[in-house]
Amino acid sequence: EVQLVESGGGLVQPGGSLRLSCAAPEFTFSSYWMHWVRQAPGKGLVWVSRINSDGYSIYYADSVKGRFTISRDNAKNTLYLQMNSLRAEDTAVYYCARMVNYHFDYWGQGALVTVSS
Amino acid sequence: QSALTQPASVSGSPGQSITISCTGTSSDVGSYNFVSWYQHHPGKAPKLMIYEGTKRPSGVSNRFSGSKSGNTASLTISGLQAEDEADYYCCSFAGSITWVFGGGTKLTVL
């Protein structure tokens, strides 16, 4: 069974930073595109960012461009999301998800990020 | 990129069929055969139910089916069961290596 386990969520003040991690120990992590998707309280899923298998091709949603950085360490089977200049509207549960042929076949259970003073 | 349009809620009785629509544009749903559907029970990981518009992953009940016509995709659940009660989201590739989700539909099994 493929497992994705997010960590690093928490409470942070506006303007602060946080780094999320997503551990993927059970499959050939280096072969897959990986994504971050978030869900604000009471709202729907929103795509955040994608990184290709070798980490050299990266895309972001306009809402996080210039503030968030996606990266991966294939030797550690781990995906990251560095979030800087956080705003109240970034408050959400952040999910990592694996992509196969343009669909998300496995997701983590999410990490809650709360931006508040 | 605007979210795809889904009804906020649908409901049905056990054994009935329901259909959830997902309306996009010619830049996303209408241009690509990469529409997928996800079942999400709050607090849990979303689960892939349909991919490439009509295909069902191994292990997903054949009560779930997908279709697409023009800029609108649909998810149909037949023979409703209590455990189908969840939030459902559609998603489409939107070009330029971006993806767009629908706003989600809450399914209530009466």
Side-chain angles (χ1 to χ4, degrees):
Chain A
E1 175 76 12
V2 171
Q3 278 199 311
L4 297 170
V5 182
E6 299 95 339
S7 61
L11 174 64
V12 61
Q13 292 189 338
S17 298
L18 209 58
R19 188 176 85 156
L20 302 181
S21 299
C22 170
E26 308 281 341
F27 62 95
T28 310
F29 179 73
S30 59
S31 297
Y32 293 88
W33 290 7
M34 296 296 296
H35 295 248
W36 290 99
V37 176
R38 69 184 181 183
Q39 183 177 32
K43 303 293 186 181
L45 299 172
V46 175
W47 176 78
V48 172
S49 182
R50 182 228 78 166
I51 188 168
N52 74 334
S53 55
D54 63 14
Y56 287 99
S57 175
I58 287 171
Y59 289 82
Y60 298 99
D62 288 343
S63 58
V64 307
K65 205 172 292 184
R67 300 186 301 121
F68 289 14
T69 302
I70 190 172
S71 63
R72 64 193 297 161
D73 185 334
N74 285 342
K76 294 183 178 179
N77 285 6
T78 303
L79 174 73
Y80 303 101
L81 186 67
Q82 176 68 43
M83 302 182 292
N84 298 332
S85 303
L86 282 161
R87 308 165 179 166
E89 54 265 35
D90 295 318
T91 294
V93 175
Y94 286 75
Y95 297 94
C96 63
R98 189 179 85 168
M99 173 155 277
V100 173
N101 292 342
Y102 291 78
H103 59 269
F104 305 98
D105 66 341
Y106 286 99
W107 300 63
Q109 292 211 328
L112 176 62
V113 173
T114 303
V115 184
S116 175
S117 54
Chain B
Q1 187 64 249
S2 299
L4 306 176
T5 300
Q6 297 181 233
S9 63
V10 297
S11 62
S13 299
Q16 287 186 330
S17 295
I18 63 96
T19 296
I20 300 171
S21 60
C22 168
T23 300
T25 69
S26 57
S27 297
D28 38 62
V29 175
S31 284
Y32 305 99
N33 286 323
F34 295 124
V35 174
S36 48
W37 288 89
Y38 303 89
Q39 179 190 67
H40 189 204
H41 290 102
K44 296 197 171 184
K47 178 184 177 183
L48 175 67
M49 306 305 285
I50 296 289
Y51 66 99
E52 294 176 14
T54 61
K55 297 178 181 178
R56 218 174 23 249
S58 174
V60 171
S61 171
N62 59 9
R63 297 185 298 106
F64 291 82
S65 62
S67 63
K68 193 187 93 165
S69 177
N71 296 339
T72 298
S74 298
L75 173 72
T76 297
I77 309 173
S78 59
L80 269 180
Q81 299 179 0
E83 63 258 35
D84 298 333
E85 187 163 293
D87 298 323
Y88 290 84
Y89 293 89
C90 60
C91 179
S92 176
F93 178 62
S96 300
I97 314 297
T98 60
W99 281 261
V100 61
F101 284 89
T105 298
K106 181 177 181 60
L107 169 62
T108 301
V109 181
L110 302 170

